[in-house]
Amino acid sequence: MLRVARLGARQMSTATGRPDGSYRRFGRTIGTWMVGTAVLASAGYYVGKDEIDAFDHEEPASELHLSPGQQFKGLPIIEAESTGRERLVVLGSGWGAVAVLKTLDRDKYDVIVVSPDNYFIFTPLLPSATVGTVEFRSVLEGIRRITKRIRGAYVEASAVDVDFEAKCVLIEKPGEGRAWLPYDRLVVGVGAQSITRGTSGLEFCHKLKTILDARSIRQHIMANFEKVMLPTTPDDEKRRLLTFVVCGGGPTGCEFAAELHDLLAEDLKHYFPQSVRDMVRVVIVQSRDHVLNMMDSVISEFAERQFARSNITVVTNSRVQVITETSLRFSTKHEDGTVTEHEIPQGFVLWSTGVCLTPFTQLLCQKLPDYQKNKHAITVDAYLRVKGIRDGSVYALGDCATVEYPHLLEHINELFESAHHEGAEITRTELEMFVKNAALEFPCAAGHLQSLVDNFGHFDTNHNGTIDRSEFRSMLEYVDAKLTALPALAQVANQEGIYLGHVFNKLASLQVEHKSKDMSADRKRRSEEISVAPFTYHHHGTLAYLGRAAAADFGQGQTYKGSNLAAKYMWRSVYWSQQVSLRTRFLLMMDWIKELFFGRDLSKF
C-alpha cells in the first residue's frame, strides 16, 4: 500500500472533527511538498544555469590522436590539437579533480582528464544507494558533462607510470594497450584504496567506494532476505544470513548501519514476517573506544545511544582478526589490559576501516625517495605541489595527498633568537614582528601563529608582560598541536580542488610574462609563490546520518544532534545543495519523493 495512502488513512482515523477536515490537513501536507519541490527546482535551475548553457552551446573537445612516427620508451605518444596554451592533465574523477574542473576558467588550459570511470560519484550518498533510498544514477554525474564547459578531453584509462623529467604520464586501458601522455601541469587526484590492516579473509567482505560496490551490497542484502524465506533454509542458517557486520565505526560504516536499519524499520516490515525481522542483527566492530571518534565526544555518545535504541550492537576497542565465508573472529581489549577472542556468524560484512596508497601513488612516491617518506599519502607543500618536483608542475589533492606541516618546536633555538632583539625575553611588539615574519616562512601555520598574539596573556604565565624561553616553547607546542593532517573527507578534497582551480586561473595569466622573460624553473616557481596564497582549509562541519536522526560537528565544541524528521531533512538538504549538477539535484529530489510515497525498491537486480 502506498505510504501516502497510509498517511491519509491514519489522519482520517484520528480526526475528531468532520472527515473533510482530515482531507484538508492531508491536502495541506501535499501542498507543502509541492511548494517545497518548486522552491528546490527554482534554486536548482539558478545554480545549474552554467551547466545548461554549456550543454546547449559549447562544442566538445577535439579527438585525441597518436603522434605519427614518435615514441617514448618504446610506446606511442598522445598528441592533441595545438592551441598554444599549457596542457593540464588531471588524473581521477573524484571530488578534488571535479572541483578543479568546475573552477577553471574557459580557454585557459588544454585540459585532459584521465580516469578509469567516466563519472563522478557523490560518495556521501553511497550508503543510501545500497538500500534503495536513492538510485544509483542519482549519485553519478558523467565526467564529459563536467569537462564540456571548459572544452576538456576525457580518456577512459588508468595512470600506471610517470616520467617527471620528460613530463609524461603513462596511461593504460586493459586490453587496449599503453601510451604516453605529455603534460605541462599534472594534477594527481586518484584517491586511495581501503587499508587491510593485515586481516585475512577480506575477499569475503564488501567495500563501499564505487557504484559497483553499492550495487553488489544491495543485491547481497536482498538475496539474504529472499534465501531466508525459503522453506528449506534451517533456522541457524537464517540467523547467520541476517547477521550484518560493519568493520569500522567511521562515517561510512555508521551511515550504512543506519540506512540498513531504516530499510528494515520502514520497508521490509511490510513485506517480511515478524519472525524473520526478529532474526536481523546489525553489529559494528570499532577499533577505537567510540564510533565516530573523529567527531566531538558528544556526537559519539549520541550516536551510540541512537544505535542502542535501534538495536544496533556496537563493539568497541576490538580488532577483526579473521573473516571466513560464514563467520568473523575479533579480539576485544578491556580496560584492565586483558584481551578476549570472539567469533560470530555472519551473512554479510562491510569493510570500512581507512585508506592507504594505490599502486600508482606508491610508484610516484618511490620515484622521489628523498622527499616522499609518508607511507599513507603523497606529501605536498602548502601550495599542494608534490614535494621533490623541482619546477612545481605536479600537484596532488584529496585522499591520496597530505599537506606537509612544519614542526616549529624543532627550530625553537633559532626561532627564539630571531624573535627577541633586546634583553632575554620577547616583548609583545617583538612577538607581533616575529609572527609576521614566521607567517611568510611557514604560510600554512599563519592563522595559528596569529593566535599567539591574540592570546599573549594566556601564554605569559608569570604575567610580567614578556615571553621567556619556556613560555615560547609552550607557544610552539600549541602551534604544532594545531597543525594536524587533514582528514580524508570529501570537503577537504573539494576545497583543495577549488583552490587549485583558482591558482591555475591566476597562473595562466603569468605564462605570457614567463615566456617573454625566458625565466628558469626556479624563478618561475618563486614567481608563482608570490602570486598565489597557500592553501588554507576551512572546516564547515562533519555530518553523520544515524537512522531517523542526524548529527553535525562544526569544530571547537560546536555540535548539532537531532532525532527527528527535521534532522533527517537537514542532512538531506545539505547534500542536495552540494550536488555538482542540476541533473543530480532533480534526480535526488525525485528519489526522496518516491521513497516518501512508495517506499524503497526491494527488487534484486
Coordinates of all heavy atoms in Angstrom, one line a residue, residues 500-534:
L500 N 43.0 24.9 -6.2 CA 43.9 24.7 -7.3 C 43.3 25.3 -8.6 O 44.0 25.8 -9.4 CB 44.1 23.2 -7.6 CG 45.3 22.6 -6.8 CD1 45.5 21.1 -7.2 CD2 46.6 23.3 -7.0
G501 N 42.0 25.2 -8.8 CA 41.3 25.8 -9.9 C 41.6 27.3 -10.0 O 41.9 27.9 -11.0
H502 N 41.5 28.0 -8.8 CA 41.7 29.4 -8.8 C 43.2 29.7 -9.0 O 43.6 30.7 -9.7 CB 41.3 30.0 -7.4 CG 39.8 30.1 -7.3 ND1 39.0 30.7 -8.2 CD2 39.0 29.6 -6.3 CE1 37.7 30.7 -7.8 NE2 37.7 30.0 -6.6
V503 N 44.1 28.9 -8.5 CA 45.5 29.0 -8.7 C 45.9 28.9 -10.2 O 46.6 29.7 -10.7 CB 46.3 28.0 -7.9 CG1 47.8 27.9 -8.3 CG2 46.3 28.3 -6.4
F504 N 45.3 27.9 -10.8 CA 45.6 27.7 -12.3 C 45.1 28.9 -13.1 O 45.7 29.3 -14.0 CB 45.0 26.4 -12.8 CG 45.6 25.2 -12.2 CD1 44.9 24.0 -12.0 CD2 47.0 25.2 -11.9 CE1 45.5 22.9 -11.5 CE2 47.6 24.0 -11.4 CZ 46.9 22.9 -11.2
N505 N 43.9 29.4 -12.7 CA 43.4 30.6 -13.4 C 44.4 31.8 -13.3 O 44.6 32.5 -14.2 CB 42.0 31.0 -12.8 CG 41.0 30.0 -13.2 OD1 41.1 29.2 -14.2 ND2 39.9 29.9 -12.4
K506 N 44.9 32.0 -12.1 CA 45.8 33.1 -11.9 C 47.2 32.8 -12.6 O 47.8 33.8 -13.2 CB 46.1 33.3 -10.4 CG 46.9 34.5 -10.0 CD 46.9 34.8 -8.5 CE 45.6 35.3 -8.1 NZ 45.6 35.7 -6.6
L507 N 47.7 31.6 -12.5 CA 48.9 31.3 -13.1 C 48.9 31.4 -14.7 O 49.9 31.6 -15.3 CB 49.4 29.9 -12.7 CG 49.7 29.7 -11.2 CD1 50.2 28.3 -11.0 CD2 50.7 30.7 -10.8
A508 N 47.7 31.1 -15.2 CA 47.6 31.2 -16.7 C 47.9 32.6 -17.2 O 48.5 32.8 -18.3 CB 46.2 30.8 -17.1
S509 N 47.6 33.6 -16.4 CA 47.9 35.0 -16.8 C 49.4 35.3 -16.7 O 49.9 36.3 -17.2 CB 47.1 36.0 -16.0 OG 47.4 35.9 -14.6
L510 N 50.1 34.5 -15.9 CA 51.6 34.7 -15.7 C 52.4 34.1 -16.8 O 53.6 34.4 -17.0 CB 52.0 34.2 -14.4 CG 51.4 34.8 -13.1 CD1 52.0 34.1 -11.9 CD2 51.8 36.3 -13.1
Q511 N 51.8 33.1 -17.6 CA 52.6 32.4 -18.6 C 53.2 33.3 -19.6 O 54.3 33.1 -20.1 CB 51.7 31.3 -19.2 CG 51.2 30.3 -18.2 CD 52.3 29.7 -17.3 OE1 53.3 29.3 -17.8 NE2 52.0 29.7 -16.0
V512 N 52.4 34.3 -20.1 CA 52.9 35.2 -21.1 C 54.2 35.9 -20.6 O 55.2 36.0 -21.3 CB 51.9 36.2 -21.5 CG1 52.4 37.2 -22.5 CG2 50.6 35.5 -22.1
E513 N 54.1 36.4 -19.3 CA 55.3 37.0 -18.8 C 56.5 36.1 -18.6 O 57.6 36.5 -18.9 CB 54.9 37.6 -17.4 CG 56.0 38.3 -16.6 CD 55.6 38.7 -15.2 OE1 54.4 38.7 -14.9 OE2 56.5 39.1 -14.5
H514 N 56.2 34.9 -18.2 CA 57.3 33.9 -18.1 C 58.0 33.6 -19.4 O 59.2 33.5 -19.5 CB 56.8 32.6 -17.4 CG 56.4 32.8 -16.0 ND1 55.7 31.8 -15.3 CD2 56.6 33.8 -15.1 CE1 55.5 32.2 -14.1 NE2 56.0 33.4 -14.0
K515 N 57.1 33.5 -20.5 CA 57.7 33.2 -21.8 C 58.5 34.3 -22.3 O 59.6 34.1 -22.9 CB 56.6 32.8 -22.7 CG 55.9 31.5 -22.4 CD 54.8 31.2 -23.4 CE 54.1 29.8 -23.1 NZ 53.0 29.5 -24.0
S516 N 58.0 35.5 -22.1 CA 58.7 36.7 -22.6 C 60.0 36.9 -21.9 O 61.0 37.4 -22.6 CB 57.8 38.0 -22.5 OG 57.6 38.2 -21.1
K517 N 60.1 36.6 -20.7 CA 61.4 36.8 -19.9 C 62.3 35.6 -19.9 O 63.4 35.6 -19.4 CB 61.0 37.2 -18.5 CG 60.3 38.5 -18.4 CD 60.1 38.9 -16.9 CE 59.4 40.2 -16.8 NZ 59.2 40.6 -15.4
D518 N 61.8 34.5 -20.5 CA 62.6 33.2 -20.6 C 63.1 32.8 -19.2 O 64.3 32.7 -19.0 CB 63.7 33.4 -21.6 CG 64.4 32.0 -21.9 OD1 63.7 31.0 -21.8 OD2 65.6 32.0 -22.3
M519 N 62.2 32.7 -18.2 CA 62.6 32.5 -16.8 C 62.9 31.1 -16.6 O 62.4 30.1 -17.2 CB 61.4 32.9 -15.9 CG 61.0 34.4 -16.0 SD 59.6 34.8 -15.1 CE 60.1 34.5 -13.4
S520 N 63.9 30.8 -15.7 CA 64.2 29.5 -15.3 C 63.1 28.8 -14.4 O 62.2 29.5 -14.0 CB 65.5 29.5 -14.5 OG 65.4 30.2 -13.3
A521 N 63.3 27.5 -14.2 CA 62.2 26.8 -13.5 C 62.2 27.3 -12.0 O 61.1 27.5 -11.5 CB 62.5 25.3 -13.5
D522 N 63.3 27.6 -11.4 CA 63.3 28.1 -10.0 C 62.7 29.5 -10.0 O 62.0 29.8 -9.0 CB 64.8 28.2 -9.5 CG 65.3 26.8 -9.2 OD1 64.5 25.8 -9.1 OD2 66.6 26.6 -9.2
R523 N 63.0 30.4 -10.9 CA 62.4 31.7 -10.9 C 60.9 31.7 -11.2 O 60.1 32.4 -10.6 CB 63.1 32.6 -12.0 CG 64.5 33.0 -11.7 CD 65.0 34.0 -12.7 NE 64.2 35.2 -12.6 CZ 64.2 36.2 -13.6 NH1 65.0 36.0 -14.6 NH2 63.5 37.3 -13.5
K524 N 60.5 30.8 -12.0 CA 59.0 30.6 -12.2 C 58.4 30.1 -11.0 O 57.3 30.6 -10.6 CB 58.8 29.5 -13.3 CG 59.1 30.0 -14.7 CD 58.8 28.9 -15.7 CE 59.1 29.3 -17.1 NZ 58.8 28.3 -18.1
R525 N 59.0 29.2 -10.3 CA 58.4 28.7 -9.0 C 58.3 29.8 -8.0 O 57.2 30.0 -7.3 CB 59.3 27.6 -8.5 CG 58.7 26.8 -7.3 CD 59.7 25.8 -6.7 NE 59.2 25.1 -5.6 CZ 58.7 23.9 -5.6 NH1 58.7 23.3 -6.8 NH2 58.3 23.3 -4.6
R526 N 59.3 30.7 -7.8 CA 59.3 31.8 -6.9 C 58.2 32.8 -7.3 O 57.5 33.3 -6.4 CB 60.6 32.4 -6.7 CG 61.6 31.6 -6.0 CD 62.9 32.4 -5.6 NE 63.6 32.8 -6.8 CZ 64.6 32.1 -7.3 NH1 64.9 31.0 -6.8 NH2 65.2 32.6 -8.4
S527 N 58.1 33.0 -8.6 CA 57.1 34.0 -9.1 C 55.7 33.5 -8.8 O 54.8 34.3 -8.4 CB 57.3 34.2 -10.6 OG 56.3 35.0 -11.1
E528 N 55.5 32.2 -8.9 CA 54.2 31.7 -8.7 C 53.8 31.7 -7.2 O 52.7 32.0 -6.8 CB 54.1 30.2 -9.2 CG 54.1 30.1 -10.7 CD 54.2 28.6 -11.1 OE1 54.2 27.7 -10.2 OE2 54.2 28.4 -12.4
E529 N 54.8 31.5 -6.3 CA 54.6 31.5 -4.9 C 54.2 33.0 -4.4 O 53.4 33.1 -3.5 CB 55.8 31.1 -4.1 CG 56.1 29.6 -4.2 CD 57.3 29.1 -3.5 OE1 58.0 30.0 -2.9 OE2 57.6 27.9 -3.5
I530 N 54.8 34.0 -5.1 CA 54.5 35.3 -4.7 C 53.1 35.7 -5.2 O 52.4 36.5 -4.5 CB 55.5 36.3 -5.4 CG1 56.9 36.1 -4.7 CG2 55.1 37.7 -5.2 CD1 58.0 36.8 -5.4
S531 N 52.7 35.1 -6.3 CA 51.4 35.5 -6.9 C 50.2 34.8 -6.3 O 49.1 35.3 -6.4 CB 51.4 35.1 -8.4 OG 52.5 35.7 -9.1
V532 N 50.4 33.7 -5.6 CA 49.2 33.0 -5.0 C 49.4 32.8 -3.5 O 50.6 32.7 -3.1 CB 49.0 31.6 -5.7 CG1 48.7 31.8 -7.2 CG2 50.2 30.7 -5.5
A533 N 48.4 32.6 -2.8 CA 48.4 32.4 -1.4 C 48.4 30.9 -1.1 O 47.9 30.1 -2.0 CB 47.2 33.0 -0.7
P534 N 49.0 30.4 0.0 CA 49.0 29.0 0.3 C 47.5 28.5 0.6 O 46.6 29.3 0.9 CB 49.9 28.9 1.5 CG 49.8 30.2 2.1 CD 49.6 31.2 1.0

